[in-house]
């Protein structure tokens, strides 16, 4: 107790009393709770300045010390916790005083102020501040004192008026996340090359015409977002970023795709809304891990046959280009789930075929891959694979493409001969869609050692049987257009499942088991009757990037869903909720999440 007397506490507070009488009141209950928890949330209180009692929360003797004679375990104010987290967003602050130095233990300082905005960044920054939130303000520069933040891991300064960044930023060697989006930056200093631990860099919505060559020094960078700039090319050094997994170059002025020979871990490449007119083998040959390639709204006239080298490709968006034909080799992409071709002057492919979707297009392209014997005019040999009603097991697909295809037959059951044809071949893809199946085929469990992708869409299956839950290598499951109303808890055993499509079924609640599959990256469950979702459970799905909840019965969208910041695509249209309004939905996922976060109660 002596440390509180030692400073002459009564006298040390005298200089603050007049000011405290004028300052906006901070409930003593909040102060008292903050001493125990180490957190103080003063967001949205209309403060034009922070009361001195907040800065001195760990220095001054609490008022209860002068009134309480006896203390129970919960009232031992001398055992208080230093303030660790201070939230000041949505107030009317224009600057922060040097009294900030009185909180040496602070690790989170949130001063996002969308109402008026900081004009001057706080200079009394802490050496041990970890996340530093300065977004949605009116900052035109950052203070050189930032160099003192040697342990800073996250610096968020998006939605300001920055025209340049200080070179001292390159001294923040511990920084892992840097968000400079939605500013007025015209160039980026090479100082960023010093941020060797940086994993996420957001430069979107600026006025950048080029990137510094030093960006190649960011060896830990996994995500780079340069959307909505003025880039005409990217430095060749970008190819050396070996850890890069996501690259966003949408809405720039690129005329060619960058060559990325060393980006062998790249999973997503987004280059839509540019002026790219050429795509060659050199752009594709090294991207074996690529799962998403977005090339929409460019000027491509053709695709190379080498597109088939992208064995991991799941989504290919070619909307609004100048393609007149497609290479047959597209049919050899074993994992392709979504092929978007609208707005191309394609010839040779019927319009009604294009409207039937990806699998039908790929099936058509497979049919165009001619058997060498057929080219010589020889009739194909009749084999045991020929079955009634002209249903033929494609032995080429089984042996070469590792695909077992018995789709669009309107069959009530999958004939045993189809499974018998597999033999010892390691099947990775099963396509039984567009039949009349009323259950998952029992013999599908025979493929459990190799199958990764199962399509049972457009059938009449009311429940998922346990034999499907035994396919432990399964990464993609398509059950759209069935009669499902629930999922078994045993689905949790699919520890590699990345995407699941459950659209057009009969779900009235969001399946709880999906919350317990942490590998999920895509959940499509639109056009059902789902009435609510649990955002606290969704946040645990840290890899979830695509969530489609269109055309359900959601009466409200919980604001906490805005904290699911890994979502890159969130679809909510066609639900009966009032907020967010259509104007917000039309702005896209980032705007929806930001809106929801702004409505989280404080």
């Amino acid at each position: 107790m002596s440390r509180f007397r030692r400073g002459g506490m009564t006298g040390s507070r005298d200089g603050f009393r007049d000011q405290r009488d004028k300052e906006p009141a901070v409930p003593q209950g909040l102060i008292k709770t903050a001493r125990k928890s180490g957190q103080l949330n003063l967001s949205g209180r209309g403060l034009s300045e922070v009361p001195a009692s907040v800065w001195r929360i760990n220095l001054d003797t609490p008022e209860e010390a002068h009134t309480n004679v006896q203390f129970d375990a919960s009232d031992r104010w001398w055992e208080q916790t230093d303030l660790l987290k201070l939230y000041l967003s949505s107030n009317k602050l224009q600057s922060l005083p040097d009294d900030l130095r009185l909180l040496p233990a602070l690790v989170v300082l949130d001063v996002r102020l969308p109402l008026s905005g900081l004009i001057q960044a706080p200079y009394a920054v802490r050496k041990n501040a970890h996340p530093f939130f300065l977004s949605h303000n009116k900052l035109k520069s950052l203070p050189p004192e930032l160099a003192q933040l040697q342990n800073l891991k996250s610096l968020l300064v998006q939605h300001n008026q920055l025209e340049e960044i200080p070179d001292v930023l390159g001294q923040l060697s511990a920084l892992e996340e840097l968000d400079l989006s939605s500013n007025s930056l015209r160039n980026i200093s090479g100082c960023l090359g010093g941020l060797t631990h940086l994993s996420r860099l957001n430069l979107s919505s600026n006025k950048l015409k080029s990137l510094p060559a030093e960006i190649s020094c960011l060896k830990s960078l996994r995500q780079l977002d340069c959307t909505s700039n003025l880039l005409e090319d990217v430095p060749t050094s970008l190819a050396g970023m070996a850890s890069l997994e996501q690259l966003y170059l949408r809405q720039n002025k690129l005329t060619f795709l960058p060559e990325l020979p060393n980006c062998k871990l790249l999973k997503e490449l987004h280059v839509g809304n540019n002026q790219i007119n050429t795509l060659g083998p050199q752009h594709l040959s090294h991207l074996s891990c690529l799962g998403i390639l977005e090339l929409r709204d460019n000027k491509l006239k053709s695709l190379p046959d080498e597109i088939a080298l992208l064995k991991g490709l799941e989504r290919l968006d070619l909307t609004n280009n100048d393609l007149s034909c497609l290479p047959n080799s597209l049919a050899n992409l074993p994992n392709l789930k979504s092929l978007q071709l609208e707005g191309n002057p394609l010839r040779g492919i019927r319009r009604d075929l294009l409207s039937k979707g990806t699998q039908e297009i790929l099936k058509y392209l497979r049919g165009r891959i001619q058997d060498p014997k057929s080219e010589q005019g020889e009739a194909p040999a009749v084999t045991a694979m020929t079955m009634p009603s002209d249903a033929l097991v494609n032995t080429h697909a089984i042996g070469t493409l590792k695909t077992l295809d018995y789709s669009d037959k309107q069959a009530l059951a999958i004939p045993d001969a189809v499974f018998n044809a597999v033999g010892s071949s390691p099947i990775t893809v099963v396509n039984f869609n567009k039949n009349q199946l009323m259950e998952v085929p029992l013999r599908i469990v025979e493929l459990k050692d190799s199958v990764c992708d199962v399509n049972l869409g457009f059938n009449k299956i009311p429940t998922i049987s346990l034999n499907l839950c035994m396919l432990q290598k399964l990464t993609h499951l398509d059950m759209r257009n069935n009669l499902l109303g629930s999922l078994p808890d045993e689905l949790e055993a699919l520890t590699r499942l990345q995407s699941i499509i459950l659209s057009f079924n009969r779900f009235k609640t969001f399946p709880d088991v999906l919350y317990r599959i942490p590998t999920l990256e895509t959940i499509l469950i639109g056009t059902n009757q789902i009435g609510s979702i649990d955002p606290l459970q969704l946040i645990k799905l840290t890899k979830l990037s695509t969530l489609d909840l269109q055309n359900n019965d959601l009466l409200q969208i919980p604001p906490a869903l805005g904290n699911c910041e890994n979502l890159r695509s969130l679809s909510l249209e066609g639900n009966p909720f009032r907020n967010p309004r259509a104007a917000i939905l039309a702005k896209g996922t980032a705007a929806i999440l930001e809106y929801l976060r702004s409505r989280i109660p404080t």
Side-chain angles (χ1 to χ4, degrees):
M1 205 182 302
S2 60
R3 72 182 183 94
F4 292 100
R5 294 196 186 102
R6 187 166 54 244
M9 282 299 123
T10 302
S12 70
R13 295 165 59 187
D14 286 346
F16 293 98
R17 278 181 176 167
D18 292 341
Q19 178 183 351
R20 197 181 326 185
D21 291 339
K22 300 175 183 178
E23 66 194 17
V26 174
Q28 282 302 309
L30 274 182
I31 296 290
K32 184 177 180 181
T33 301
R35 287 195 178 99
K36 298 176 183 177
S37 67
Q39 302 183 39
L40 179 57
N41 191 340
L42 298 178
S43 301
R45 291 183 172 269
L47 300 175
S48 57
E49 60 182 11
V50 180
S53 57
V54 172
W55 304 126
R56 300 184 62 82
I57 188 172
N58 295 134
L59 296 179
D60 293 343
T61 306
E63 291 186 9
E64 60 264 28
H66 303 291
T67 57
N68 286 359
V69 178
Q70 296 181 340
F71 306 100
D72 59 26
S74 63
D75 288 325
R76 294 174 180 171
W77 50 264
W78 58 87
E79 296 179 355
Q80 62 182 316
T81 299
D82 286 336
L83 196 64
L84 302 175
K85 300 180 181 180
L86 176 58
Y87 300 93
L88 297 169
S89 63
S90 300
N91 282 293
K92 299 177 181 178
L93 306 174
Q94 292 195 347
S95 64
L96 294 177
D98 285 339
D99 286 343
L100 179 58
R101 61 186 168 78
L102 300 178
L103 301 175
L106 204 64
V107 296
V108 173
L109 174 61
D110 187 344
V111 285
R112 287 176 283 191
L113 307 172
L115 297 182
S116 59
L118 281 182
I119 295 173
Q120 181 180 3
Y123 280 71
V125 291
R126 303 271 51 83
K127 284 189 177 183
N128 56 350
H130 287 244
F132 205 54
F133 303 93
L134 287 167
S135 58
H136 294 86
N137 283 288
K138 298 180 180 179
L139 298 175
K140 292 187 176 181
S141 63
L142 296 175
E145 282 80 1
L146 276 174
Q148 299 175 28
L149 301 175
Q150 291 302 304
N151 294 321
L152 189 68
K153 293 184 178 180
S154 182
L155 178 59
L156 309 179
V157 289
Q158 69 270 33
H159 291 280
N160 279 286
Q161 299 171 13
L162 301 175
E163 295 183 357
E164 60 181 14
I165 57 173
D167 287 344
V168 296
L169 199 64
Q171 299 177 27
L172 303 180
S173 56
L175 205 62
E176 297 176 0
E177 179 181 18
L178 176 59
D179 193 338
L180 293 163
S181 63
S182 299
N183 279 283
S184 299
L185 299 173
R186 295 182 180 275
N187 58 71
I188 294 292
S189 168
C191 71
L192 287 188
L195 306 180
T196 53
H197 288 90
L198 201 65
S199 63
R200 297 178 65 181
L201 175 59
N202 192 340
L203 299 171
S204 64
S205 299
N206 279 286
K207 300 176 182 179
L208 300 174
K209 292 185 177 181
S210 62
L211 297 175
E214 290 83 355
I215 201 168
S216 63
C217 298
L218 304 181
K219 300 299 184 183
S220 301
L221 199 68
R222 298 200 308 271
Q223 183 184 94
L224 174 60
D225 192 342
C226 296
T227 300
S228 297
N229 277 284
L230 304 173
L231 299 175
E232 296 182 357
D233 58 23
V234 294
T236 55
S237 57
L238 187 69
M241 301 173 72
S243 298
L244 198 62
E245 296 179 3
Q246 297 174 312
L247 177 58
Y248 297 86
L249 295 168
R250 295 189 189 114
Q251 294 178 316
N252 280 282
K253 296 185 176 182
L254 301 176
T255 56
F256 57 89
L257 198 68
E259 295 182 28
L260 305 167
N262 295 315
C263 298
K264 298 184 185 301
L265 300 180
L266 194 66
K267 296 178 181 178
E268 299 184 23
L269 178 56
H270 301 264
V271 286
N273 294 93
N274 279 284
Q275 301 170 28
I276 298 172
N277 53 37
T278 302
L279 185 64
Q282 70 276 17
H283 300 123
L284 306 172
S285 56
H286 305 284
L287 304 180
S288 57
C289 288
L290 199 65
I292 297 175
L293 177 56
E294 188 231 324
L295 286 159
R296 64 174 298 134
D297 295 287
N298 278 286
K299 298 180 179 180
L300 288 173
K301 296 184 182 299
S302 63
L303 294 178
D305 285 334
E306 286 78 5
I307 193 80
L309 296 174
L310 305 181
K311 296 298 185 183
L313 198 62
E314 298 176 12
R315 192 171 85 207
L316 176 60
D317 190 346
L318 297 165
T319 303
N320 297 333
N321 276 277
D322 296 329
L323 298 171
S324 58
C325 60
L326 297 176
N328 296 339
S329 58
L330 271 177
N332 293 330
L333 292 174
N335 296 305
L336 192 62
K337 303 292 183 306
S338 175
L339 175 61
Q340 300 177 45
L341 297 166
E342 297 83 1
N344 283 281
L346 289 167
R347 297 190 296 271
I349 302 180
R350 300 190 314 273
R351 185 60 51 186
D352 65 314
L353 180 61
L354 292 175
S355 67
K356 290 183 178 180
T358 301
Q359 295 305 319
E360 288 301 310
I361 296 172
L362 296 181
K363 182 179 179 180
Y364 168 78
L365 293 175
R366 286 189 203 104
R368 292 200 324 198
I369 299 176
Q370 295 182 336
D371 189 298
K373 294 183 177 180
S374 298
E375 291 181 355
Q376 299 173 9
E378 298 181 17
V382 177
T383 70
M385 301 306 173
T386 304
M387 291 182 291
S389 68
D390 296 325
L392 183 68
V393 174
N394 190 328
T395 54
H396 171 75
I398 291 175
T400 305
L401 303 178
K402 301 179 182 179
T403 298
L404 183 60
D405 189 347
Y406 194 77
S407 60
D408 204 8
K409 307 294 184 185
Q410 301 303 311
L412 296 174
I414 304 300
D416 285 338
V418 171
F419 288 101
N420 294 340
V422 172
S424 59
S425 298
I427 295 297
T428 60
V429 179
V430 171
N431 185 5
F432 293 157
N433 80 328
K434 295 187 179 178
N435 283 292
Q436 299 289 322
L437 304 180
M438 300 183 70
E439 63 178 3
V440 176
L442 296 176
R443 291 188 63 182
I444 200 169
V445 73
E446 297 174 11
L447 310 175
K448 64 183 179 66
D449 293 332
S450 59
V451 70
C452 302
D453 184 336
V454 170
N455 186 345
L456 286 163
F458 296 91
N459 280 287
K460 297 181 178 180
I461 299 173
T463 58
I464 289 182
S465 53
L466 299 186
N467 56 338
L468 187 65
C469 301
M470 297 175 66
L471 307 181
Q472 295 189 7
K473 292 189 176 181
L474 198 64
T475 56
H476 305 284
L477 176 60
D478 189 342
M479 296 294 301
R480 76 184 79 183
N481 290 79
N482 275 284
L483 305 176
L484 298 174
S486 62
L487 296 179
D489 290 339
E490 288 78 5
L491 205 69
E492 189 175 357
L494 301 181
T495 56
R496 300 187 184 184
L497 194 63
Q498 297 175 12
S499 71
I500 186 166
I501 305 177
L502 299 167
S503 309
F504 293 92
N505 275 282
R506 297 181 177 181
F507 291 97
K508 293 185 178 180
T509 59
F510 191 91
D512 283 340
V513 68
L514 296 185
Y515 294 132
R516 303 195 299 273
I517 306 179
T519 53
L520 278 173
E521 299 174 6
T522 299
I523 299 176
L524 307 183
I525 194 166
T527 315
N528 280 280
Q529 303 166 42
I530 295 172
S532 65
I533 52 173
D534 187 342
L536 299 181
Q537 296 293 332
L538 282 173
I539 290 173
K540 297 177 182 179
L541 300 180
T542 57
K543 295 185 178 181
L544 188 66
S545 61
T546 300
L547 177 60
D548 182 355
L549 289 163
Q550 296 181 83
N551 303 319
N552 275 285
D553 292 336
L554 297 172
L555 292 174
Q556 61 180 4
I557 303 300
L561 185 61
N563 289 329
C564 297
E565 297 184 355
N566 289 321
L567 285 176
R568 308 297 300 190
S569 177
L570 174 61
S571 302
L572 296 170
E573 296 83 355
N575 282 280
F577 57 78
R578 292 187 176 183
N579 290 300
R581 296 187 179 278
I584 298 293
L585 298 181
K587 292 181 180 180
T589 300
I592 296 171
L593 296 179
E594 184 174 349
Y595 168 82
L596 291 173
R597 285 194 294 271
S598 73
R599 294 174 63 88
I600 295 176
T602 57

